[in-house]
Amino acid sequence: AWLSYRSGSSTRGGVAKHAPSWIQHIIVNEKHEVLSTAVAELIQGLENIYGVKPTVNQAQSAQTNSDAAPGIWLGTWSGSSSVAGQFSESERTSVQGEGYAIRFNEELGQLAIGSESAQGVLYGTFHVLRELTLTPESSIDAEPLESRLRYIAEQPRNSLRMINQWDNVDGSIERGYAGDSIFYEKGEFTRDLGRIRDYARLLASTGINAISINNVNVHQRESLFLTEHFLGDVARVASEFRAYGIQLFLSVNYASPIEIGGLNTADPLDEQVREWWNVHTAKVYAAIPDFGGYLVKADSENRPGPFTYNRDHADGANMLAEALRPFDGVVIWRCFVYNCKQDWRDRSTDRARAAYDHFTPLDGRFADNVILQIKNGPMDFQVREAVSPLFGAMEQTNQVIEFQITQEYTGQQRHLCYLVPQWKDVLDFDTYAKGEGSEIKNIVDGSMFNRPYSGFAAVSNIGSDACWTGHPLAQANLYGYGRLAWNPELSAEEIAEEWIRLTFGHDEEVIHTISAMLLSSLDIYENYTAPLGVGWMVNPNHHYGPNVDGYEYSKWGTYHFADCEGIGVDRTVRSGTGYTSQYHQQNTDKYESLEQCPDELILFFHHVPYTHVLHSGKTVIQHIYDTHFEGATQATELANQWRSLEGKIDASIYDKVAALQEEQAEHSKEWRDMINTYFYRKSGIDDEQGRTIY
Ligand code: GCW
């Protein structure tokens, strides 16, 4: 993946002469597991990049190494006076916790990587390795490298930067498209901790600092993760992640006291139930002292929760918070709560409303170690949907945003779909919670409402597949997520280029072509799938491939309401479900009005005739035809673009992507024809351009 460090490599010719002398020694004056990881990463990275194995001076006491020795110095402010001495006090205080500073001291030939924490030093180390790899070969021993490293200071914008695995202990992965679980096999934990360690490396290199290792749908056997039966295994996995500064969490079954505890209730106000959680939580911490806490999906899609006992989500979450509090643990409580047994005939119930309606009345009632985890949109990870109105609606509650890296609704890692631009749109969305400038990124980083816990979570897209992510280019989404969680100001273009250079090297044509493919892919996917924000139109259950009415008469609350006159969901206050009122005024006004509502969301908010004219000047029906013809053509172009790289990319990766792009091109025609035909038959309106519709 992006840690092969071969792209900046000079191993193909004249190795050692390219390596500056300061790169040949690593000096550390402290003992800390994460610092040892940083050293190991440096050795491996530098050896790959320069073909020279650096020597390591890992001193036991601060006296051992002379301050003047040239080399790469790693350390924390309190543990290494020589590292601290390279920075002024204000430079040191400007980076806190996991932040880091880097300085190249030309006089001494020293590169110092310092932080308040060992974790920060590890992030700084990955930063340096990234810079070394990103500096093209030709300039590797020239001035630019040292000047790029002259002074760097970075602070993560979000404190929680988390990955959620949806892995089941039987080895399957819910919504996984890259092979089986790397964590479990046939009902047991895997014995192959090496792959887990590699995963920890990948994640830490992008700045991830937390992971939940099992599916939020927790079934009976996974409920036992909290018990002696599995705690030893969980602890072994936790130590792999600990070495990379990543904290481990478990998804828990809300009904555990019944399911595995032999009680006859899971009522959050019942004394026995509370005691059960206290005792089991203490056992978890006895096995894993730095355990992060619990992730909970409750009263959602048939999972148990406090509703059964006429209690609310605050009662449920606070009970777990109390059990975790003595150990500084947190409860991450998901807001994906809606009625999944809706009657399709009932047009007044609106799934999009559900999370807001359930949770906003509870603002202020959650314990301070509870964090609500909110999906980016009010429905479910569609290629296009509105932004969840819950962001900015609960000033007294900790919130993290949940993205889906795994491409459940965006091509399942068989189609190319670079999701960073979509996430950027969400993060840059202005909620107006405190007037103009109240973007989602300022809410989820905790700054706007001064929240103690905040950040990002996302569902992983990896599995046992050799390239990790099924589609090799889908790695860009995992990488991009981590980078964005660290710094939401990075652009989709910057992240793409960084990832391509790290992964494929510096050939300009390769960079240009893959970058163009990635950056156009989301729009292309949107073009040939569900139009104008309406969503779904996929096959039920597995969610791959077109089926316009696949969910139209189902219980899931995901309808498009197409008839012979028009299409779309009326979510206005005036004549629809009233969902638009969940936003702050400026956004309510924008979405409520047919004139102001942006084209790309028109069918999310309004039911309109096929002849309705969009801002683009096209009618809705013509827009559907045009985008679907265009999308399928563009998907074919993607395949051609990739083919132009033959010979420039490792053959096995080349072949794999070529086959996938071929499949996407074919499959996009299936989408095009089904959607166009469906709407032609419903509306009876011809395509202005007379193209083939069946
Ligand atoms: O997107 C939906 C998926 C479910 C998933 C659920 C959730 C883990 O179809 O498979 O369950 O969301 O987020 O809980």
Side-chain angles (χ1 to χ4, degrees), residues 166 174-175 215-217 297 301 334 336 375 380-381 402 404 408-409 543:
W166 282 359
E174 182 148 351
R175 311 306 176 188
N215 188 358
V216 289
N217 291 324
K297 172 174 178 177
E301 299 187 329
R334 295 176 85 231
F336 186 55
K375 288 189 181 184
D380 196 9
F381 301 135
E402 177 178 335
Q404 195 185 43
E408 176 176 3
Y409 292 100
H543 299 165

Side-chain angles (χ1 to χ4, degrees), residues 152-165:
I152 293 169
E154 286 254 348
Q155 185 71 39
R157 175 89 167 262
N158 294 288
S159 53
L160 190 70
R161 304 179 301 279
M162 187 174 193
I163 283 285
N164 295 167
Q165 296 299 134

